Amino acid sequence: MAAVEDRIEAEIVAENSANGAEGLIAKGVAPVQKEFLVSAQVRSTISDKDAAKISSEKKCDVFVFLVSLIAIVLCLCSIQARKLEVCNAVVRAGDPNACPFGENCRFSHDLEGYLAQKPEDLPGVCPSVSLNVPCPYGVRCRFYGTHTKQDLPKENPEGAMDGDEETSGAGEINVLRKDFQKSLWKKLESFPKADSQLQAMGLKVTFLLSEQNKVYGPKKGATTEGENGGAETHDENNDVSDDAVPPLKKPKLVDPVDDAKEQGDGCKLNSREKKKIDLKGKLYLAPLTTVGNLPFRRLCKKLGADVTCGEMAMCTNLLQGHASEWALLRRHPVEDCFGVQICGSYADSLTKTVELIERECTVDFIDINLGCPIDIVVKKGAGSCLLTKPTRLEQIVRATASIMEKPLTLKMRTGYFEGKNCAHSMISELSNWGVSAVTVHGRTRQQRYSKLADWVYIYDCAKRAPDDLQVLGNGDIFSYSDWNEHMLPDLNLSSCMLARGALIKPWLLTEIKEQRHWDISSNERLDLLRDYTQFGLEHWGSDSKGVETTRKFLLEWLSYLHRYIPVGLLEVIPQRLNWRPPRYVGRNDLETLMASDSAADWVRISEMLLGPAPEGFVFTPKHKSSAYDKAENG
């Protein structure tokens, strides 16, 4: 295998010399200047040690992976066995006498024993100290040495952390309240707007499934509607919960404007009175699964993003009070124009979700996902699957738009099946349904990322749209020249959404703002990573768990970031998103390290910022970003 790769790299170098950059670009290979290329001959002269390292990485097989996995499990079991169960109140306050239960406490008060096994503090300052707020982690903080007396956490009579409410980061908004979460668990929340609209549209379930389940019991995989409309799923094998039951009778489609007049107070604003969102010419950071978290969005705001959107959240998980799902709706104060993206299969779950979000969260708009290609989502009838069900899609959009006070936006693909685009057929109707803006991703669900985005079709959709519907384009924008090309006045686009391009080089936002190709140095890129880790520690916490969570998401981002090729190394600029980088060396060791596609090297970079990784730590990317024809972001 290594010999084949060596031969391919040698052919790339030879072709670069013979045919120049044009031959490489035709094959989708980045035209890196030949003095930076690493051929098989050059790599063999680097050093025997480096060559052995590369060879060993290539020979990793299933057996080695299983051995590593077993070692990790044994290591974790050993750590758990040695772990000292110390009282939470004692650890947080740094005082053995801080526990209100005293000798009756079932946990140890041996603070010295805990400190003896605690890892060394990390270099730097506690994020809470930097923000002039008490650190909620006390002795647990990995920056405990920088604490002072005024940095101690506030008194907690129960001697336990309150979870999200105390670890909400630097003034974050939309934090899930415990009482609200319990209300969702017990299905005590009411949905007057959603219920009224669903009933008017004939989408209300007319009999109680709960009574039927008492006799027969729910089938595996079935979804029932709870007492107050919350969806309950009975399939324990799926990570994504199913949405509420489909309508039992053919619904009648009710215009949201006329329906609002009939119901009076039930819908405060109709679609023509609703506040509009202005996206014209603004840099819109797409909702990005896993990597588009709050710390990443903060960094992108610093680099020039105008509009940000939270990661895709599943409606049923929100209705069931999943803390991890509600965490996707969190907002930082610097996000001055912020929306959330939701995904569901039926109008009942989506309308109830938007009613909850508007009641509990501070957002500027709500976006419905019609583009997610992930199999587990599509099989539930959500994401891009809705493009194959236009009647149900119309029900969803009309129902949600009619009860919302905030603007409703959509993000969709050109179609589901390759060669059968359908977005144009509904563009002219979206405004009448109550949509303020729609983003068209220039690929079908079947294409995923295997072909370039079809911008000609996106332009056609924009020309078909009515004047009051903003149309945004999405796909393959990787330089300010790409942005300028798509934003020509005669193309009728309001703006463009930045997705993978911003993952691979978030300074793309700065390049567009300043209209330049930024040959960013490796040290400047490391500073951006340092800012990200600081934001991550503020968001996920500065204790050991928070540090490792920050490391995990940093590594997920690095699995994209290594694909960037510095401007100064290219023969032709700008870099295109579909170019495969050949093996090359940078202008310094750090630049070479950042270009590595090895997860072990990504871990090394994380250790430069977050200290040594835990013993036996192994990282596998959640999204296979190294595959240029596959990605899991919608």
Side-chain angles (χ1 to χ4, degrees), residues 234-365:
H234 303 282
D235 190 347
E236 299 178 354
N237 296 323
N238 289 327
D239 295 331
V240 181
S241 302
D242 203 349
D243 278 285
V245 291
L248 300 178
K249 60 180 180 179
K250 186 175 181 179
K252 57 180 180 179
L253 295 178
V254 180
D255 187 274
V257 177
D258 297 335
D259 185 60
K261 292 178 182 179
E262 293 177 5
Q263 296 187 47
D265 296 336
C267 298
K268 295 181 180 180
L269 299 176
N270 62 48
S271 60
R272 296 190 182 121
E273 297 171 342
K274 192 179 302 180
K275 180 182 177 183
K276 298 290 183 179
I277 183 170
D278 182 15
L279 300 175
K280 190 170 182 60
K282 294 183 178 180
L283 295 182
Y284 187 163
L285 180 67
L288 301 163
T289 304
T290 304
V291 189
N293 45 61
L294 185 145
F296 181 77
R297 299 198 305 270
R298 284 186 65 183
L299 182 66
C300 289
K301 284 295 296 183
K302 184 177 179 180
L303 292 169
D306 298 316
V307 183
T308 55
C309 187
E311 302 172 64
M312 181 186 74
M314 298 302 297
C315 288
T316 303
N317 293 341
L318 293 173
L319 292 172
Q320 292 176 345
H322 294 190
S324 59
E325 209 75 14
W326 279 93
L328 303 179
L329 310 186
R330 286 194 182 184
R331 173 183 188 174
H332 194 271
V334 300
E335 298 181 272
D336 49 353
C337 185
F338 172 77
V340 296
Q341 187 183 71
I342 57 176
C343 183
S345 306
Y346 295 98
D348 52 356
S349 62
L350 280 151
T351 51
K352 291 167 185 174
T353 299
V354 298
E355 184 171 353
L356 280 183
I357 291 175
E358 288 200 323
R359 186 191 307 167
E360 295 293 326
C361 301
T362 303
V363 298
D364 297 298
F365 63 94

Side-chain angles (χ1 to χ4, degrees), residues 32-33 507 518-522 525 562-573 575 584-587 591-592 595:
V32 175
Q33 298 177 30
W507 51 93
W518 184 3
D519 188 11
I520 186 171
S521 69
S522 56
R525 291 160 66 187
H562 79 278
R563 289 167 51 180
Y564 168 72
I565 305 174
V567 173
L569 274 59
L570 289 169
E571 285 192 1
V572 177
I573 58 173
Q575 179 184 354
Y584 68 91
V585 294
R587 291 164 290 191
E591 195 167 71
T592 303

